[in-house]
Amino acid sequence: VQLQASGGGLAQPGGSLRLSCVASGSILSVNIMGWYRQAPGKPRELVAAISRGGGTNYADSLKGRFSISRDNAKNTVYLQMNDLRPEDTAVYYCNAGSLPRVTVPGQYWGQGTLVTVSS
């Protein structure tokens, strides 16, 4: 499974960005899709994940500002990020897995897309 993420870039505090990630390859094996992020000097952490059936899991600190969605027909997962803050600056990684569990990362990783929040 290959994951191609897009949509990162520079945003001002309070602004919005939308990330997209398209899965290709053995996509029938993909159940969960999601996003993780890693800020400089910090470990990688969950942002949000969504199952094929629509079940979701969010980092508690991001609920209300970030929203994950999925288009199974397009093999694409989206992350809508609103009210961005400087502390959201990180490399965002698309993730996918075959197990129907949104609480653990899947075995497939994309290349990462940088999100920078700065005025």
Side-chain angles (χ1 to χ4, degrees), residues 32 43 45 83 85:
I32 64 101
E45 61 177 3
D83 188 24
R85 304 168 182 173

Side-chain angles (χ1 to χ4, degrees), residues 60-97:
D60 288 340
S61 62
L62 300 177
K63 290 179 181 178
R65 294 196 299 123
F66 287 19
S67 178
I68 192 169
S69 61
R70 179 171 178 170
D71 186 333
N72 291 326
K74 295 182 178 179
N75 305 311
T76 302
V77 63
Y78 305 98
L79 183 69
Q80 178 66 43
M81 304 185 291
N82 298 326
D83 188 24
L84 284 164
R85 304 168 182 173
E87 54 264 38
D88 295 319
T89 295
V91 177
Y92 284 70
Y93 294 92
C94 182
N95 176 260

Side-chain angles (χ1 to χ4, degrees), residues 1 3 29-32 94-100 104-110:
V1 175
L3 302 172
S29 68
V30 171
N31 189 309
I32 64 101
C94 182
N95 176 260
S98 53
L99 295 179
V104 295
Q107 68 266 46
Y108 307 113
W109 292 95

